Amino acid sequence: MTTVAEQLADWAATLGHDDIPATVIGQLEEHVLDTLGVLLAASSMDYARSLATMVIEDQGLQESTLIGRGGSKVPVRDAVFVNGALGHGID
């Protein structure tokens, strides 16, 4: 017997663009743009500058971009941390 998570993963793995209603895609586009706006606005806040400075100075592999930092690249783990924190910076 498969779990609910496995069933959801199977459904998502076979989902095609044409399977998604246009209204849902439109709403998704709005949410993505809203999130990007929040990330960019938060990137200039003091806490965001401090986090970005910390991970940039820590160095490491240049794998992923820090949003709002002019193309600064840091390890994936650090980019996820900083960019994720930006998503809550204006809450």
Side-chain angles (χ1 to χ4, degrees):
M1 182 169 171
T2 60
T3 66
V4 172
E6 290 169 329
Q7 292 172 19
L8 180 59
D10 288 341
W11 172 79
T14 60
L15 185 67
H17 185 272
D18 293 336
D19 298 326
I20 304 169
T23 55
V24 173
I25 291 173
Q27 290 174 344
L28 174 62
E29 290 169 346
E30 288 178 17
H31 291 303
V32 168
L33 287 174
D34 179 62
T35 300
L36 288 172
V38 169
L39 297 174
L40 288 172
S43 70
S44 64
M45 299 177 85
D46 288 341
Y47 87 94
R49 285 194 298 270
S50 295
L51 289 175
T53 298
M54 177 185 70
V55 299
I56 290 168
E57 289 177 355
D58 212 23
Q59 299 181 348
L61 296 175
Q62 296 184 354
E63 302 170 303
S64 296
T65 302
L66 291 179
I67 293 174
R69 291 287 146 215
S72 296
K73 298 274 190 174
V74 297
V76 171
R77 176 199 65 213
D78 294 339
V80 168
F81 171 65
V82 173
N83 293 336
L86 295 179
H88 298 281
I90 302 178
D91 284 350

